[in-house]
Structure formats: structure tokens, C-alpha cells
Amino acid sequence: LLVDASESMSYASGARSKYDLACTAAASMAYLVLQQADSVGAALVAGGVRAFLRPSGQMNQLREACRAMCDGPFPGPGGIARGVDELAGRTGRRGVVFLFSDLLDDVPEILAGLQHLRYQKHEVVLFHTLD
């Protein structure tokens, strides 16, 4: 699970911000994946990787992922492009990468990071988070 924790995700026209919605969707996806006995890892990105949990199949991984997501969004400049590319260098075996983001960053840089993940044979699923 890859959650955009950049400052742009803190925008909210109502009671819940884009970041809140992305974290809720990511936690729901983590629960579903763990229920089918697969492993879940999580990362928060904002100008780089801010938090990283190695994949685990234990149910307490959901609690740890939610705890990490409580730290964001992070203030200051920085989007997800650099973090996605940095994360691609950290991942080992191939898997499915779920990206939750508003995609408010330089498009060619985002695409380069996603292509890096695809080059390593990861399947990438993008959840475009809007307000």
C-alpha cells in the first residue's frame, strides 16, 4: 500500500480530507488482503518515503499501518514522484502496489516512478483521490 501523504492531500471541503479518504481506503484494502492470507506492506510518501512497513501477513500489520498513517499528511513542499521512485528501489519480490493519491505532482516524474515499479514486474493499481 502506497499512500500519498503530501500537503495537497490535507485539503477538505467537508468534514473529511482527501488524506482521510485515502487512508480509509488503504486500511480497507489492507484488511481484505490480510483476510485472504496475503502479506501487506505500507508506505507514506511526501517528497520521499516518510514511513515504511515491510510486508507481513499478521493481522497486527493492519494496526501498525493505521498507526503510521496517523502521522500524515506532512507539511511542506514535496509530492509523490520521488517517493514512488525511491520505494521502487526498496521493494524486493514482485507484488501488487496500490497507490492512493490525488496525483498533484509533475506528471512525467510520476509516470517515471510508476514505470520503475512496472519494470520490476509489480502490478500497479491507482486510486485517484479527489475531494
Side-chain angles (χ1 to χ4, degrees):
L1 302 171
L2 181 56
V3 180
D4 180 357
S6 62
E7 190 172 21
S8 66
M9 291 290 284
S10 64
Y11 178 78
S13 63
R16 299 181 71 192
S17 69
K18 293 187 284 185
Y19 184 74
D20 294 336
L21 295 172
C23 289
T24 301
S28 300
M29 187 62 68
Y31 177 78
L32 292 173
V33 169
L34 287 169
Q35 284 298 307
Q36 65 182 28
D38 284 327
S39 296
V40 171
L44 299 179
V45 294
V49 176
R50 297 290 186 106
F52 181 74
L53 291 173
R54 293 218 172 270
S56 171
Q58 301 295 320
M59 277 308 282
N60 68 347
Q61 183 77 345
L62 176 60
R63 182 177 54 244
E64 294 301 319
C66 289
R67 186 172 294 144
M69 287 187 271
C70 286
D71 293 339
F74 299 100
I80 64 163
R82 185 171 147 223
V84 170
D85 194 49
E86 184 181 327
L87 182 74
R90 286 188 182 187
T91 57
R93 57 182 199 197
R94 66 183 183 165
V96 181
V97 177
F98 296 102
L99 173 60
F100 301 86
S101 175
D102 58 4
L103 300 174
L104 293 178
D105 202 355
D106 187 39
V107 174
E109 289 182 20
I110 293 173
L111 290 175
L114 295 176
Q115 287 172 345
H116 191 177
L117 287 169
R118 291 290 300 148
Y119 177 77
Q120 293 180 327
K121 308 292 186 206
H122 295 289
E123 184 176 338
V124 179
V125 180
L126 178 63
F127 290 87
H128 193 191
T129 308
L130 301 173
D131 181 63

